[in-house]
Amino acid sequence: MDRVIFHCDLNSFYASVELLDHPELKDKPVAVCGDPESRHGIILAKNEPAKQYKVQTAETIWQARRKCPDLVLLPAHHWKYREYSKKVNAIYERYTDLVEPFSIDESWLDVTGTLHLFGGDGKALADEIRRVIRQELGLTVSVGVSFNKVFAKMGSDYKKPDATTVITRENFQQLLWPLPVTDLLFVGRAAARILGGYGVRTIGDLAAFDRDSLGEILGKGGYTLHDYATGREHAPVIAARDMPGPKSVGNGLTFPRNLMGWEELRTALSELADEVAARLRKHGLKCTTVQITVRDPAFKDICRQKRLAAPTYVSRDLTDSAMELLRSCWNERQPVRALTITAQNLVEEGDAGEQVDLFAADAIPRRDKLEKLEKAMDSIRDKYGRGAISLASAVHPEGEREDQRLPPTD
Ligand SMILES: [Mg+2]
């Protein structure tokens, strides 16, 4: 028997949560950003009216303002998003214990074993869940219903906001195959470019492509993509409590405009590092290796790693190492399209002390201080929101700004 999988995706999540406190702004173009005072701050989310002006996530405030001078900017409150994310997942768990969060605003639900308790109809249950979330939390969600995770996710993207789309064995070719291949999960622009060279533009083209040839062209990922396109994907929904701890923690961003110059690059890296460090602290893990991946406008990636003198989960350490790596492999005048920073070789916080490099002993007092400071900032931000405190002003008045975490896609 086929499984019944839901993929639930909250619509314009950050912006929707902020607008709960500003109902008067509902019909105005609104964007959420880390620091509304900084013109280099980055747009994290926007509401529907702002989308009409083509305001984009990850562009800078000044770029967005050029397109939409009346754009209302609201500061991000990450503690609120975490709280709402928990509440939403708690609602999902009323319907099944198999709830797998994919990101702060997206989760998969496997309701195969429980659907009969709620009437037996997948679409009706998805509509009911949407209604309950709207009524209890004031948020809207798009739901995809299908027989596997990938098609369920595509269903939630198919129509938004506030909609249910059912992808069946009967209709998936008609609904999904005309879509561009980039709409398929994990088909990045690089893979799309390679596929384009073989005349593969739509998901249907991909499905019609010979599976073994695809494997030769793209490696193991080629087989996976072919399985995705043809509905032969069988990955289980894994409840959050059964998830293994992370092996690495990474965060990346493709910029709508190329970045150039050490200052801009450092700002971007510190934003990425901030989120990585916060996630490491949340898991009680420190990293001993930092890796950066830099992509140029021609989609050429350069990847560099560095072993650290001592394990860390301090944002500033990650930024410094990433910046050092960047300077070693990049020219300041070379434009950057995308950046990723990944913390690797993770060790438990408590075990980390034994691995400290003796030669780096001098650095320990400074690191202790920074650890305490950043942890304190976690709790202040959790309480008062992100704008409440910034590392730049607290530690290095002349140094880099610490800014927003990265947003969910809508
Ligand atoms: Mg979303």
Side-chain angles (χ1 to χ4, degrees):
M1 196 193 79
D2 266 339
R3 296 177 298 161
V4 183
I5 312 282
F6 292 178
H7 182 266
C8 303
D9 186 354
L10 290 152
N11 305 125
S12 307
F13 179 50
Y14 288 4
S16 304
V17 169
E18 295 301 334
L19 284 168
L20 293 174
D21 292 333
H22 298 279
E24 75 283 1
L25 296 175
K26 193 165 65 64
D27 301 318
K28 299 207 163 79
V30 174
V32 176
C33 52
D35 177 8
E37 304 302 317
S38 159
R39 56 187 238 108
H40 292 295
I42 284 172
I43 302 290
L44 299 176
K46 67 276 174 192
N47 68 349
E48 288 293 332
K51 280 177 204 171
Q52 311 271 305
Y53 288 90
K54 306 234 176 331
V55 170
Q56 282 179 52
T57 296
E59 69 186 350
T60 57
I61 288 171
W62 68 268
Q63 286 175 298
R65 277 251 160 89
R66 254 189 341 196
K67 293 185 244 178
C68 179
D70 295 331
L71 187 65
V72 180
L73 295 173
L74 297 174
H77 296 91
H78 289 270
W79 62 272
K80 279 193 203 172
Y81 314 143
R82 282 197 292 273
E83 212 157 86
Y84 273 95
S85 184
K86 268 188 215 154
K87 284 182 189 169
V88 168
N89 280 292
I91 291 178
Y92 298 151
E93 283 176 358
R94 295 178 197 166
Y95 302 96
T96 173
D97 58 351
L98 286 176
V99 175
E100 177 181 334
F102 182 55
S103 65
I104 194 160
D105 69 329
E106 297 178 38
S107 295
W108 276 291
L109 285 61
D110 184 337
V111 298
T112 314
T114 51
L115 187 58
H116 68 282
L117 301 172
F118 304 100
D121 181 73
K123 171 151 192 321
L125 179 58
D127 289 342
E128 166 70 6
I129 292 175
R130 286 197 297 114
R131 190 190 60 76
V132 168
I133 290 174
R134 199 171 47 231
Q135 188 181 318
E136 292 186 19
L137 304 177
L139 299 173
T140 63
V141 53
S142 291
V143 186
V145 179
S146 194
F147 53 92
N148 69 35
K149 285 166 82 175
V150 168
F151 282 1
K153 174 147 172 64
M154 297 193 71
S156 72
D157 280 339
Y158 196 83
K159 193 169 172 221
K160 42 173 106 171
D162 204 9
T164 300
T165 302
V166 184
I167 310 272
T168 65
R169 291 202 182 270
E170 290 70 41
N171 73 7
F172 80 84
Q173 304 186 356
Q174 182 203 337
L175 290 184
L176 303 181
W177 282 8
L179 299 175
V181 75
T182 43
D183 282 10
L184 198 59
L185 193 61
F186 302 127
V187 176
R189 268 176 283 193
R193 210 170 44 134
I194 295 169
L195 289 168
Y198 292 89
V200 173
R201 298 213 155 66
T202 65
I203 295 174
D205 293 341
L206 189 67
F209 209 83
D210 179 63
R211 187 171 185 272
D212 288 330
S213 311
L214 209 56
E216 269 163 42
I217 295 165
L218 294 174
K220 209 173 132 223
Y223 297 113
T224 308
L225 291 184
H226 196 264
D227 291 345
Y228 285 3
T230 51
R232 293 194 191 98
E233 182 268 312
H234 306 291
V237 173
I238 299 171
R241 63 179 176 281
D242 298 327
M243 291 273 193
K247 286 211 168 53
S248 67
V249 174
N251 192 18
L253 188 57
T254 299
F255 307 101
R257 169 187 65 98
N258 296 328
L259 299 190
M260 224 193 308
W262 295 137
E263 198 193 323
E264 272 194 348
L265 290 167
R266 188 170 179 108
T267 302
L269 278 176
S270 77
E271 283 165 6
L272 295 168
D274 183 31
E275 163 74 13
V276 170
R279 269 156 55 197
L280 286 172
R281 290 194 288 270
K282 199 182 109 212
H283 289 292
L285 296 168
K286 292 183 174 183
C287 70
T288 57
T289 302
V290 170
Q291 176 183 291
I292 59 163
T293 308
V294 195
R295 171 168 292 179
D296 73 9
F299 291 90
K300 203 168 130 275
D301 285 342
I302 284 188
C303 194
R304 290 287 184 278
Q305 293 180 354
K306 180 181 189 308
R307 182 131 186 120
L308 303 173
T312 185
Y313 48 32
V314 170
S315 171
R316 193 177 161 80
D317 288 345
L318 300 180
T319 308
D320 287 348
S321 307
M323 205 51 209
E324 227 176 275
L325 284 168
L326 189 63
R327 281 174 186 275
S328 74
C329 71
W330 207 256
N331 180 314
E332 189 178 10
R333 286 180 302 278
Q334 244 177 310
V336 171
R337 174 91 188 144
L339 274 175
T340 302
I341 170 163
T342 310
Q344 298 171 326
N345 291 325
L346 307 184
V347 293
E348 297 283 335
E349 186 177 0
D351 303 339
E354 297 160 25
Q355 302 188 24
V356 170
D357 181 343
L358 286 178
F359 298 105
D362 285 355
I364 294 173
R366 182 189 78 98
R367 178 160 293 108
D368 278 355
K369 222 167 138 188
L370 275 175
E371 280 181 5
K372 277 196 195 121
L373 180 68
E374 291 197 10
K375 277 189 186 166
M377 282 165 37
D378 284 346
S379 54
I380 291 170
R381 283 186 187 136
D382 277 357
K383 209 160 161 192
Y384 300 108
R386 190 166 176 88
I389 189 167
S390 104
L391 183 61
S393 58
V395 187
H396 286 264
E398 80 290 359
E400 83 282 15
R401 189 170 53 84
E402 213 200 32
D403 212 333
Q404 55 270 331
R405 292 173 198 190
L406 293 181
T409 54
D410 298 321

